[in-house]
Amino acid sequence: MNTRPAMSYAPDLLAGVEDAQWWVTDALGLWSHVSGLPVPTLLLSAADLRSMRRLRTAFEHVVTAGASPEVDEALLPPADVQVSLVPDGTGWVRVVPTGRGVRWLASALWAEALLAQQAGMWPRLKLCNNPACRAAFFDTSRNNSGVWHDVSTCGNTANLRAFRERRRMLGHEPQ
């Protein structure tokens, strides 16, 4: 989800093949390190970018649906991907993505979402409340009440705006 442009100063990492390829290669290396599965080779084409942007939007809808019960279920995408269940040498069953190209990536992402839900971590994945930002972040607050990806930037801006609006409503002039 953080492939979207941050505020007005960062590029959309899914706008062009070169940036998308850099991002997916880096992300898959990290995924492989964490999952213990081999790094897949995923070579993107310009035709893949539209599918990847749709997948990003789908994840945003799913994350926001968990935060607000009034989200229209028609906006939620079908996650019609396949995975394999593979026992490993230690007696654990692993969820292994299947498919090729962007279908494999979708399989990996939905599988990780399922695993995060089962581990109770999914509700902590949020989008920043700043409409200009919408960065995805993992809420580490004790009571899962975080709403800003970064309090010092998005939170302070929103709080200052609200403070000024309250003062204006009370008839105080800016100094």
Side-chain angles (χ1 to χ4, degrees):
M1 292 182 288
N2 283 341
T3 57
R4 255 192 218 287
M7 307 287 212
S8 60
Y9 55 83
D12 182 341
L13 296 178
L14 300 182
V17 175
E18 187 176 315
D19 285 340
Q21 186 67 59
W22 170 84
W23 171 79
V24 81
T25 301
D26 190 54
L28 291 177
L30 181 59
W31 173 84
S32 173
H33 177 73
V34 171
S35 70
L37 294 171
V39 179
T41 301
L42 190 68
L43 298 177
L44 300 175
S45 69
D48 295 325
L49 298 179
R50 184 170 180 225
S51 296
M52 290 180 69
R53 287 190 294 269
R54 278 197 319 262
L55 184 59
R56 173 178 62 193
T57 299
F59 264 83
E60 291 168 344
H61 284 301
V62 171
V63 167
T64 55
S68 58
E70 65 272 355
V71 170
D72 182 3
E73 284 194 33
L75 294 175
L76 299 177
D80 60 344
V81 295
Q82 296 182 1
V83 296
S84 292
L85 301 175
V86 179
D88 67 15
T90 64
W92 287 91
V93 177
R94 300 176 71 108
V95 178
V96 178
T98 60
R100 292 185 178 273
V102 176
R103 296 285 297 164
W104 182 94
L105 184 61
S107 175
L109 289 169
W110 289 118
E112 291 299 328
L114 175 65
L115 294 172
Q117 289 173 347
Q118 290 174 335
M121 295 176 9
W122 187 255
R124 292 191 172 273
L125 180 61
K126 299 178 178 182
L127 294 180
C128 183
N129 266 10
N130 180 350
C133 176
R134 301 303 280 168
F137 69 100
F138 190 77
D139 183 1
T140 58
S141 66
R142 184 178 300 184
N143 62 354
N144 197 26
S145 63
V147 294
W148 314 111
H149 89 281
D150 180 18
V151 175
S152 66
T153 56
C154 291
N156 279 349
T157 303
N159 292 334
L160 182 58
R161 194 174 296 126
F163 170 75
R164 288 179 178 159
E165 181 62 20
R166 284 191 304 274
R167 286 186 52 94
R168 190 185 67 75
M169 296 300 280
L170 292 173
H172 296 287
E173 293 297 318
Q175 299 193 8

